[in-house]
Amino acid sequence: MTLPALISNYRDKLIVIQVKKTYSELQNALKMYAAKNDCSDISCIYNSNDSKDDITKKLYEQFKGAKYCTTGSKDKLCKSYNIKGNTPVNNGYGTVQNADGFLLPFFIAANGATYHINQYNTCIYDYTYNKKDENGYYIDEDNDGEPDTYTATVDRCATFYFDANGPLKGPNQFGADVYNIQLKSTGKFVPDSYLLKTLSTEKINYTPHNIGDEIK
């Protein structure tokens, strides 16, 4: 193997180790919260009356030495940052869109991993999506300048995101160092397919690209 390939292979293996450790620490933190609050299971961290700041703080308090980031923080690490999708995705206008970003509030664990949670005030709700054609471009059948939409029912009480190596180390991309776990109405935590694949294969699986690249 060439030197660049060896370096890339080593980096990928290091990310896998960080991903496995971060996922394990997340599970342990949820168990700690449940034990401290006399809960029957770890899903009790969710409360429909809470905000995403509330639930993020609950998790943050289980991590010793973590740094909590909110709007107005002067710490250079406490800035929202974009996350790339697993593969290039058309933003509807012909360029690569970003995926879910790490938006404030979030916290950075002592080992550098970043955690962010989206909390929803109900677990089952309708969500409106923009329609796209087979090439990923928005469909505008009535020519009003706005994409046509469709509505689907979603089951998720909260989404737990983690970036295993934090904001300053790449690739900041789903399937590599970034993953999510959804809390369902059943009380089950369901890891995304990328996390399941990384854990089972012990390899990261993603297509390198940049946000804003032209879709060809």
Side-chain angles (χ1 to χ4, degrees):
M1 295 180 70
T2 64
L3 182 58
L6 286 170
I7 293 173
S8 178
N9 189 47
Y10 173 77
R11 185 202 64 169
D12 289 357
K13 288 182 177 180
L14 181 59
I15 290 176
V16 171
I17 292 171
Q18 292 171 317
V19 168
K20 292 169 69 176
K21 183 178 180 181
T22 303
Y23 181 48
S24 177
E25 290 180 346
L26 172 59
Q27 291 176 306
N28 289 336
L30 291 168
K31 291 175 183 177
M32 287 172 57
Y33 178 86
K36 289 178 182 178
N37 291 274
D38 296 321
C39 298
S40 59
D41 62 62
I42 61 176
S43 67
C44 73
I45 197 169
Y46 169 78
N47 184 315
S48 61
N49 295 319
D50 285 347
S51 66
K52 65 180 180 180
D53 187 47
D54 294 328
I55 193 171
T56 303
K57 282 182 177 177
K58 288 180 185 179
L59 187 65
Y60 155 75
E61 290 168 355
Q62 314 312 310
F63 287 80
K64 291 183 179 180
K67 177 186 301 182
Y68 198 83
C69 294
T70 57
T71 303
S73 173
K74 295 182 180 180
D75 192 297
K76 67 178 182 179
L77 295 179
C78 293
K79 295 180 180 179
S80 298
Y81 60 103
N82 289 327
I83 299 298
K84 291 179 283 187
N86 177 262
T87 56
V89 176
N90 193 337
N91 70 346
Y93 297 103
T95 58
V96 177
Q97 69 181 17
N98 63 298
D100 298 281
F102 266 75
L103 309 177
L104 296 170
F106 57 69
F107 67 89
I108 304 173
N111 66 359
T114 308
Y115 295 85
H116 167 66
I117 308 173
N118 274 338
Q119 158 94 21
Y120 312 103
N121 58 15
T122 185
C123 294
I124 300 177
Y125 56 94
D126 289 337
Y127 191 84
T128 300
Y129 299 87
N130 292 326
K131 291 183 179 180
K132 291 185 177 183
D133 63 20
E134 65 275 9
N135 297 311
Y137 287 91
Y138 288 141
I139 297 172
D140 180 15
E141 292 183 343
D142 52 9
N143 296 313
D144 64 352
E146 296 293 333
D148 297 341
T149 62
Y150 68 96
T151 301
T153 300
V154 177
D155 179 356
R156 58 185 176 190
C157 305
T159 305
F160 292 69
Y161 297 90
F162 69 80
D163 180 343
N165 56 15
L168 298 184
K169 296 181 179 180
N172 293 341
Q173 186 168 349
F174 279 103
D177 51 342
V178 180
Y179 300 88
N180 75 68
I181 301 94
Q182 292 192 1
L183 172 60
K184 301 294 186 178
S185 61
T186 58
K188 301 294 184 181
F189 281 85
V190 180
D192 67 31
S193 59
Y194 307 128
L195 179 54
L196 292 175
K197 189 171 184 178
T198 296
L199 294 175
S200 64
T201 64
E202 297 198 344
K203 295 180 181 179
I204 55 178
N205 302 272
Y206 72 104
T207 302
H209 64 272
N210 294 308
I211 297 171
D213 283 350
E214 184 178 353
I215 297 290
K216 297 180 180 180

